[in-house]
Amino acid sequence: MARIIAGVTSSHVPAIGAAIDNHKMEEPYWKRVFSGFDKSKEWMAKTKPDVCIAVYNDHASAFSVEIVPTFALGCAAEFPPADEGWGPRPVPVVKGHPTLAAHIAQSVILDEFDLTVVNKMEVDHGLTVPLNLMFGSPKEWPCPVIPLAVNVVLYPPPTGHRCFMLGRAIRKAVESYPEDLRVVIFGTGGMSHQISGPRAGLINSKFDKAFLDNLSKNPAKLVHMKHLEYMREAGAEGIEMVMWLVMRGALDERVKEVYRFYTVPASNTAVGHIILENAPRPAQRRAGSAKRRPTPKAKAKAKTPVRRAAARAKSETVRG
Ligand code: DHB
Ligand code: FE
């Protein structure tokens, strides 16, 4: 059975891609940004997922403004880098996983999420920059990547709740795939930023940090946030963060936060990055500790206020 083992959020700022492509990573401005992903690359190299699902947005590269699908799943065997105006980025072709992608499309559509199935697509910085941040710049990307493009560029984008529930449906789809695959899901974009208009340059670190806290520990607080609140608090482009909720919906209710990084600015954007791991499966836990009684030390630990709070939190659900 396939399984989503972890979720990652990462910025997708085009200037990060330009800094990589033009060999500016060692400049102090960019070093500050890239050094925040050193541990992430180590984590990725250790985790070695079999497949990644990348929730990202296209910037009128694959879809012109004439056609903007709300959710579009890349089911092709490969996705070449798009020409974004200065030629395609010099990054490897993204190899897809057509059988898992087709399975996800089937499962999710039968679960009443009307995805657009895409059999031919180029991918822009929205997808390739997060891959660089997590994998570096290898000759070939180390695993297949299934792109899931979400419309966050033309109003109305989907709600955070819809995104979260889609994440849940994706998780169900992955778990009904017979092959043993370890899947990591990316939510990209964010955090607060506004690129044009009178509030251009807006960054709201207080909002961003609370968003990261809730994403990790209490996503129920985020799923019903209105578009207007994203816009007011996080700027016009802050709405990209709904994509993070697809990722979060695909994970367990309670997750282990293994890494977090936040820096301001990268280009016009606050860069927020988090790695969340699903706990080992109950079945896996049972296999290791079948019917073992808790030790006195474990019992004492369970009585601490933090544990009690955690136990209380466990009973909270994110409702659909
Ligand atoms: C910038 C950030 C984005 O997320 C994006 O899609 C385009 C530009 C920026 O910071 O310039
Ligand atoms: Fe963006």
Side-chain angles (χ1 to χ4, degrees):
M1 182 187 102
R3 194 177 167 231
I4 295 183
I5 55 167
V8 166
T9 69
S10 143
S11 176
H12 65 208
V13 182
I16 294 179
I20 298 168
D21 303 343
N22 297 307
H23 312 288
K24 293 187 175 162
M25 293 170 73
E26 291 303 317
E27 289 182 3
Y29 180 94
W30 288 113
K31 204 174 166 83
R32 168 180 52 82
V33 175
F34 288 109
S35 63
F37 289 83
D38 288 345
K39 283 211 167 62
S40 320
K41 288 197 207 71
E42 279 170 28
W43 176 87
M44 206 38 133
K46 208 173 69 206
T47 303
K48 288 196 181 61
D50 299 307
V51 185
C52 288
I53 298 171
V55 184
Y56 79 110
N57 70 281
D58 176 68
H59 302 75
S61 307
F63 311 112
S64 79
V65 285
E66 288 171 12
I67 299 177
V68 183
T70 302
F71 296 115
L73 189 70
C75 295
E78 52 180 51
F79 307 92
D83 186 335
E84 302 184 42
W86 290 271
R89 288 196 61 216
V91 290
V93 167
V94 173
K95 303 272 167 64
H97 195 303
T99 50
L100 176 59
H103 176 84
I104 292 173
Q106 160 98 0
S107 174
V108 162
I109 290 170
L110 293 184
D111 266 341
E112 302 180 350
F113 287 88
D114 308 316
L115 290 187
T116 300
V117 172
V118 186
N119 290 320
K120 187 165 187 253
M121 182 165 77
E122 293 180 344
V123 288
D124 67 13
H125 65 271
L127 186 129
T128 58
V129 164
L131 294 186
N132 281 132
L133 287 171
M134 295 304 293
F135 292 118
S137 299
K139 280 215 166 68
E140 298 289 334
W141 301 119
C143 68
V145 178
I146 298 174
L148 173 62
V150 178
N151 167 36
V152 289
V153 296
L154 185 76
Y155 268 78
T159 63
H161 180 247
R162 188 72 174 153
C163 288
F164 188 87
M165 297 311 286
L166 176 61
R168 282 205 167 160
I170 290 171
R171 171 200 176 114
K172 181 176 157 200
V174 168
E175 290 185 354
S176 62
Y177 190 73
E179 198 184 332
D180 280 334
L181 296 175
R182 297 160 65 258
V183 179
V184 168
I185 182 163
F186 285 48
T188 76
M191 296 195 85
S192 56
H193 61 304
Q194 173 144 343
I195 294 177
S196 57
R199 296 201 309 162
L202 177 145
I203 282 179
N204 182 348
S205 296
K206 196 166 165 226
F207 174 90
D208 290 340
K209 287 175 183 167
F211 196 95
L212 286 166
D213 287 344
N214 284 324
L215 189 77
S216 180
K217 296 204 178 58
N218 198 358
K221 276 203 169 163
L222 301 178
V223 293
H224 293 293
M225 192 189 294
K226 300 271 184 273
H227 290 343
L228 266 178
E229 190 173 345
Y230 282 98
M231 169 101 66
R232 188 177 59 235
E233 299 296 327
E237 275 73 34
I239 191 63
E240 290 181 351
M241 282 183 268
V242 292
M243 295 189 286
W244 295 19
L245 294 177
V246 180
M247 177 284 278
R248 188 63 183 87
L251 298 183
D252 292 348
E253 228 170 287
R254 295 186 59 72
V255 289
K256 183 172 162 200
E257 180 177 326
V258 294
Y259 183 61
R260 185 190 293 205
F261 172 63
Y262 182 81
T263 189
V264 171
S267 191
N268 301 294
T269 307
V271 171
H273 165 51
I274 205 161
I275 302 178
L276 304 174
E277 280 180 359
N278 273 340
R281 297 241 118 163
Q284 290 165 337
R285 268 205 299 272
R286 269 204 301 279
S289 60
K291 299 223 159 101
R292 248 193 251 147
R293 281 161 193 259
T295 61
K297 202 172 159 192
K299 271 188 179 166
K301 219 174 166 188
K303 283 187 184 148
T304 63
V306 172
R307 292 282 159 148
R308 276 201 298 270
R312 269 201 307 278
K314 212 170 194 166
S315 65
E316 288 169 18
T317 39
V318 178
R319 303 210 180 272

